[in-house]
Amino acid sequence: MRAMDEISVSQSQAQKREKRKLALNIAAYLFPIIIIVVVFVFAPLAIILFFSFLKSGPYGQIVYTFTFENIGAILGGGYGKVFLQSIYLALQTNLLCILFGYPIAYYITRFGGKWKTLWIFLIIVPSWSSYLIRLYALKTLVGTKGTINTLLMNLGIISEPIQILYTNFAVTMALVFAWLPFMILPIYAALDGLDRSVLEAATDLGATPFRRFFRVTLPLTRGGLLAGSILVFIPTVGEWLVPSIFGGSKIMMAGSLVAHKFTAVGNIPQGSSLAIMLAATLVLILYLTIKWGGREALEKAL
Amino acid sequence: MSGSDTQRGNKKPDICLEIRDVVKQFPGVTAVDHVTLEIQEGEIFSFLGPSGCGKSTLLRVVAGLENQDQGDVLIAGQNVNELPPYKRDCNTVFQNHALFPHMTVAENIGFGLVERRLSKIEIKKKVAEKIELVTLGGMEDRRPDQLSGGQRQRVALARALILEPAVLLLDEPLAALDRKLRKEMQIELKRIQREVGTTFLNVTHDQKEALSVSDRIGIMNEGAFLQIGTPDEIYEKPGSIFVASFMGATNIFSGKVVSQKDGKVELETDQGLRVFAPEPENNTSDPVVGFSVHPELIHLKPETSDESPSDPANQTIFHGKINEVFYQGDFSEFTVALKETDMLITVHLTRGRGYRLQMPEGQNVEVSWDCSSNNVLRG
């Protein structure tokens, strides 16, 4: 027995050496790519992090003095409300995306038949066009003199235009409009990957279609829901284009605050701090989501 | 459950499942072609046939997972044509087990009871009983992906049996298991069935499995039953060329009847060989198209110069040359080319029956078998 164990130990050591050698080899080949990633991804992040501990001079220039002032100002100042509102709007968008996206994905998997791929294609295609152009197209629909108001007034249903733009509703609607495809896709993938015989087994064991959905289909597509939520929620919190087009000056989101600090105010260190805080918040949320939602389910979905 | 119990009591207590003139068509194929069948309470009945013969479709029609185009299905005397699967008094063990991956073993087994709105205490008690029945003690909290193939099989079985269905439907339940495990599960399946007494309807394409687990077998091809009978009837007295070849009788000869007397028929094969066979018991209107003889019933010995007088009415004897020998372990398979024609006869010699005979390829031999081994085929 002992001799056998020794053989297996020395074998596993040899295997480990082999593995290390292979890892080194691969790293050598990947070296140029690693350099590019470090320079263009991590370096800007490091610079932002660096800026966030500096001071801003009277003319908007960066003063190279180390300080916690920016972070103190953010934690103590009125920015918390904007952050909370961002998270609230993103949460709301996420829920609405699930509410609209799940039935759509379900319908396509269930009744799409040979057109399934076409339907999914049609859902993806708009997101290939410019984000900005799509948002402006939506704006022409809902503006005071937009298509919807004009139509309703011409039909005599309303006498004066409904104020849709520059409301919370408009921002949420635009966010859902922009991000819905990213919710539909992972849910569709999860639903499409469901083993039909498992659903049949549930029916066979006495579950009505309604009960089956909540006991089997929904739990088994949780990974897709989670993946979709991450894809939608995170970019939504940092959104600044949608609130600036659809919210005007009334609705500020965390992203617009960062943009505001950088462009309008010209306080780069404070903008950097805000950006770092935003990123930190999102990483925390992502971590909690994965921890509670189940890593396995998510890995399966992605 | 009580409703169907009383119905079972009132109406034909011995028939558990009745299929009446069922037709199921898919675009381009008739999967089930006017099938009528009665299955008795407490038996293991197997649908046996090659893949694509319609056996799984027929099972799914019974389960309600497919709707038949025509005909009636009666479970325990109740017409279930209009009932969805979740209201039928039958449960299914699926081919790939179809366990719920997000539930533990205990939750999987208790799934149906939750749908029946049983109390938690009752569910726990019944689940424990079924876990004991399928010998899965200690596995309650495992998830399906932590189980072996055989264990998953047992969970699937317990999950379907816990609702005490009138009929348990098994859709190729052992197909996914390896050979040794399959053998073990066949024995388990039979034990469990004897213990619970539920009618089992088993679908399989494995002849050995059907022969060893079933009380009765229905051989299916192209959507219809060709022969229904006990395992020994099906194996020893196949009624048609298809059944004979499907059940492994490799010596099948087409031919016609030339004379008939004393309870015996004389057949002439297409190649001109003449053999006698016992007259088949049930004289159907179908014409005789040939005969079959199992390779393990044939004797083989080296040809000798002194010809013993033979009685062709009792003993079939031919002469030939060994063509090939295949060693199989528990038996050896010889193919013998007959002298009179170019026909080949397959002979199986087991280790206990002349297996060590030194008969190399090319040796002249005499093959003989009892005339009662000749089985008449109709078509």
Side-chain angles (χ1 to χ4, degrees), chain B residues 42-255:
Chain B
E43 72 173 336
I44 305 185
F45 192 100
S46 290
F47 294 172
L48 176 62
S51 55
C53 71
K55 55 192 192 300
S56 276
T57 308
L58 185 56
L59 189 90
R60 289 171 63 83
V61 166
V62 174
L65 298 169
E66 305 278 359
N67 288 315
Q68 70 269 36
D69 300 318
Q70 189 191 316
D72 299 307
V73 176
L74 285 85
I75 297 174
Q78 183 196 14
N79 189 319
V80 296
N81 285 359
E82 303 301 322
L83 288 185
Y86 52 87
K87 284 188 183 157
R88 293 192 184 192
D89 193 9
C90 61
N91 292 110
T92 310
V93 175
F94 290 84
Q95 183 170 3
N96 57 358
H97 317 319
L99 300 181
F100 304 117
H102 58 301
M103 293 184 182
T104 63
V105 167
E107 285 168 339
N108 261 289
I109 296 175
F111 187 95
L113 295 179
V114 174
E115 292 308 316
R116 292 251 167 100
R117 305 280 193 278
L118 260 64
S119 74
K120 275 192 179 145
I121 303 159
E122 261 178 298
I123 291 176
K124 210 173 166 190
K125 204 183 107 206
K126 289 199 172 193
V127 167
E129 275 171 25
K130 286 291 172 283
I131 281 182
E132 196 187 337
L133 175 72
V134 298
T135 61
L136 276 179
M139 302 280 176
E140 290 86 347
D141 297 324
R142 296 227 184 148
R143 295 204 178 256
D145 57 5
Q146 296 170 306
L147 299 178
S148 70
Q151 288 167 336
R152 273 183 229 160
Q153 188 58 62
R154 287 162 197 267
V155 176
L157 203 57
R159 185 178 70 172
L161 277 172
I162 204 161
L163 295 173
E164 294 165 17
V167 196
L168 185 78
L169 309 172
L170 302 114
D171 189 2
E172 308 226 14
L174 309 181
L177 306 179
D178 64 56
R179 225 179 85 172
K180 189 164 167 283
L181 205 55
R182 195 151 63 216
K183 181 89 194 142
E184 260 174 55
M185 281 307 293
Q186 284 171 11
I187 298 167
E188 269 299 275
L189 211 59
K190 213 160 174 170
R191 172 185 72 79
I192 289 167
Q193 196 271 342
R194 298 293 178 244
E195 209 159 305
V196 294
T198 307
T199 311
F200 277 27
L201 183 52
N202 179 39
V203 161
T204 181
H205 63 265
D206 181 340
Q207 293 86 346
K208 287 224 167 106
E209 180 191 319
L211 290 175
S212 59
V213 303
S214 318
D215 294 317
R216 280 199 302 155
I217 297 172
I219 305 282
M220 246 185 131
N221 191 36
E222 291 178 347
F225 283 104
L226 297 180
Q227 192 174 355
I228 293 170
T230 59
D232 52 313
E233 279 168 11
I234 294 279
Y235 183 76
E236 291 167 22
K237 297 195 175 70
S240 59
I241 290 179
F242 178 85
V243 175
S245 77
F246 190 71
M247 295 312 295
T250 40
N251 300 312
I252 298 167
F253 304 105
S254 52

Side-chain angles (χ1 to χ4, degrees), chain A residues 194-212 214-220 296 300, chain B residues 60 63 65 85-86 90-92 94 96 98-103 107-108 110-112 114-115 117 145 159-160 163:
Chain A
L194 267 189
D195 185 356
R196 272 208 68 77
S197 66
V198 169
L199 301 180
E200 281 180 349
T203 307
D204 187 77
L205 292 166
T208 59
F210 181 78
R211 295 270 307 164
R212 180 180 80 177
F214 285 101
R215 288 195 72 193
V216 181
T217 311
L218 197 57
L220 286 180
E296 276 168 59
K300 223 159 132 193
Chain B
R60 289 171 63 83
L65 298 169
Y86 52 87
C90 61
N91 292 110
T92 310
F94 290 84
N96 57 358
L99 300 181
F100 304 117
H102 58 301
M103 293 184 182
E107 285 168 339
N108 261 289
F111 187 95
V114 174
E115 292 308 316
R117 305 280 193 278
D145 57 5
R159 185 178 70 172
L163 295 173

Side-chain angles (χ1 to χ4, degrees), chain B residues 327 329 332 334 349-359:
Chain B
Y327 180 70
S332 277
F334 297 79
L349 295 185
T350 61
R351 289 183 72 181
R353 200 163 65 89
Y355 162 85
R356 288 284 177 206
L357 281 178
Q358 291 299 315
M359 284 189 288

Side-chain angles (χ1 to χ4, degrees), chain A residues 244-264:
Chain A
S244 73
I245 296 174
F246 289 86
S249 56
K250 286 183 187 163
I251 291 138
M252 268 241 165
M253 288 181 71
S256 20
L257 204 58
V258 176
H260 181 72
K261 285 285 175 200
F262 269 98
T263 54

